[in-house]
Amino acid sequence: MTQPVDKRAAAGVAVAATVGNMVGITPAISATFGVFLVPISVEFGWSRATVSGVFGLIAVVSAIMYPVIGRLMDRYGSRWILIGGNILFALSIALLSLATASVSRFYLIFGLIGIAGSIPSTPMLCKVVSNWFDEKRGLMLGVTAGIGNGVGATFMPIIAGFLLGVIGWRGSFVAIALIVLLLGFPFLFLLLRDAPVSPNATEPPLEGMNVAEAAQTWPFWVMLTAVAVGAGGMTAVFTHVVPMLTDHGVGVGEATLVVAIFALVAASWQIVTGTMLDRFRSPRVVVPMFASAIVGLVLLQFGHGTPTLIFAGVLLGIGLGAEYGALPYFISRYFGLRYYGSITGVLYGVVILVQGATPALMDLGFSATGNYDVAAIVIMAALAIGLVLLSLLPPLHLLPTPARSLLRERRAV
């Protein structure tokens, strides 16, 4: 059992995790990529699919790294792994300033970004937060991941757009690397701590299933499929808001505003999602949120006028916030905390694979048709599938028989 929580230390961990998320791979790379996509494509004479294909590489690398990192954190603790990861991630981003017209070199750099960015990532920070908070776990996961990613993903594209016109995309990536290091490192070093555990060495500090045991339960597979298809589709949309809208004649400034609203609502809605999950203990609270994302995507791709596009950004933010807010909470409640890092690594590994493939698939569709209409319709269908699957999950206080028996056996030890 864990010792009584030091509230001051827990608050420090929450701040560190929030800032860590703020300068993680989602704000620093995914959120800014749409700003740099066209300039890089034009400079090197590459298709958009070639440029955005780096997300597929990042996905493969992250899918391999997440389970490894999660297991290391389960065994050795999280503090120094996350601090070192922040430094490596900043250095890897800075390497983009050295990119040339060599596709292999460009992809190699993004491969390094995928390796380094997997370490101080949201799933790994969620492990630390989950270990420190119990009663308000959903709220704190929503606050740290939501505010962190949301604020970062709101302002990073704005900063990137400004810097692009001043120092070009190469200099912009160096500036982003400096932001990652100079903002992230001090907070992680000064405030991040591993949760204290029981001094009784004979008593397991935490209970829960390992990966093999979790995989024997059907919520594991339902959750994996639902969130993978939903998050994959939403991430593809998020990274393509700017090109989707500018292709329709919308100005870059207005398109960037929609991205900012998308990110800001996604941030705040993670808090709403976590609070509702804490209160109602039912996965069904996120079902209508998935539905809102479908409506938002319809408006984004086929709607017209600034108010409509802003409303689309709001609805898409609700859907993305629900997906990001629900998965770490579901993992901790359905499968426990003892092997949280390992299970998170496996689940997020699959999710990131889908997230990496969908942006490139969107651009392949664009190359074939000259627009994103078909891709948008496919993503709507994927979100609908995720909506149906989430409605099948049992209430969080009623685990299915295999999981219930496994946890009962652990309590009896």
Side-chain angles (χ1 to χ4, degrees):
M1 299 295 291
T2 57
Q3 297 175 339
V5 174
D6 181 337
K7 293 184 178 180
R8 184 174 179 178
V13 168
V15 172
T18 302
V19 176
N21 280 310
M22 196 180 300
V23 294
I25 195 167
T26 296
I29 298 298
S30 297
T32 63
F33 197 79
V35 177
F36 301 127
L37 173 61
V38 174
I40 293 173
S41 174
V42 170
E43 178 173 333
F44 292 147
W46 298 340
S47 69
R48 295 184 186 184
T50 298
V51 180
S52 63
V54 296
F55 281 103
L57 177 61
I58 290 177
V60 172
V61 170
S62 299
I64 295 171
M65 292 297 298
Y66 277 162
V68 175
I69 298 165
R71 186 168 184 177
L72 289 173
M73 289 172 66
D74 285 337
R75 178 172 295 184
Y76 300 110
S78 305
R79 171 176 159 78
W80 289 109
I81 293 175
L82 291 170
I83 291 172
N86 170 260
I87 297 172
L88 293 174
F89 180 50
L91 291 174
S92 67
I93 296 174
L95 286 176
L96 282 170
S97 64
L98 304 177
T100 66
S102 167
V103 174
S104 60
R105 183 171 182 172
F106 189 72
Y107 273 59
L108 175 61
I109 295 173
F110 269 96
L112 295 175
I113 288 174
I115 293 173
S118 299
I119 305 172
S121 59
T122 297
M124 303 310 154
L125 289 165
C126 283
K127 170 182 167 55
V128 183
V129 174
S130 294
N131 285 347
W132 274 95
F133 297 92
D134 181 27
E135 183 180 351
K136 296 182 178 180
R137 183 178 299 158
L139 172 62
M140 296 312 300
L141 286 170
V143 168
T144 56
I147 292 180
N149 281 299
V151 171
T154 298
F155 288 101
M156 281 291 196
I158 297 173
I159 294 171
F162 170 76
L163 292 174
L164 179 64
V166 178
I167 55 178
W169 64 266
R170 297 176 188 275
S172 298
F173 276 122
V174 173
I176 290 171
L178 288 173
I179 293 172
V180 169
L181 182 63
L182 297 180
L183 184 59
F185 178 81
F187 282 91
L188 293 174
F189 183 79
L190 295 174
L191 298 177
L192 191 73
R193 297 288 184 274
D194 288 303
V197 297
S198 171
N200 182 0
T202 64
E203 180 183 353
L206 297 169
E207 64 178 14
M209 289 173 274
N210 60 32
V211 175
E213 292 167 340
Q216 296 174 31
T217 68
W218 62 270
F220 179 91
W221 298 102
V222 170
M223 187 190 314
L224 176 61
T225 306
V227 177
V229 298
M234 292 296 291
T235 298
V237 173
F238 183 70
T239 59
H240 282 75
V241 168
V242 173
M244 287 172 72
L245 293 182
T246 53
D247 285 347
H248 289 172
V250 177
V252 174
E254 185 176 347
T256 304
L257 174 62
V258 175
V259 174
I261 291 171
F262 190 163
L264 189 60
V265 173
S268 59
W269 205 262
Q270 286 183 64
I271 301 173
V272 174
T273 301
T275 302
M276 293 180 69
L277 287 171
D278 280 336
R279 178 173 181 142
F280 298 105
R281 297 294 182 97
S282 172
R284 290 174 179 81
V285 300
V286 302
V287 170
M289 303 174 194
F290 265 58
S292 72
I294 298 174
V295 177
L297 184 51
V298 172
L299 295 178
L300 183 74
Q301 182 62 13
F302 304 108
H304 302 282
T306 300
T308 298
L309 297 178
I310 289 176
F311 186 49
V314 171
L315 293 177
L316 288 166
I318 290 173
L320 188 62
E323 290 160 9
Y324 285 161
L327 183 57
Y329 185 87
F330 287 165
I331 293 171
S332 70
R333 292 304 185 193
Y334 280 111
F335 310 123
L337 294 174
R338 190 174 185 184
Y339 299 97
Y340 182 95
S342 300
I343 296 174
T344 294
V346 171
L347 287 172
Y348 273 93
V350 175
V351 170
I352 198 68
L353 276 175
V354 179
Q355 287 179 323
T358 47
L361 290 174
M362 281 192 72
D363 283 325
L364 284 174
F366 176 87
S367 298
T369 65
N371 58 60
Y372 291 108
D373 292 353
V374 174
I377 293 171
V378 172
I379 292 172
M380 291 174 207
L383 290 171
I385 292 172
L387 183 153
V388 172
L389 289 174
L390 284 177
S391 67
L392 300 177
L393 284 172
L396 292 165
H397 63 281
L398 294 175
L399 294 175
T401 301
R404 191 166 60 238
S405 62
L406 283 166
L407 287 177
R408 188 182 299 118
E409 289 172 8
R410 288 192 179 278
R411 294 190 184 103
V413 173

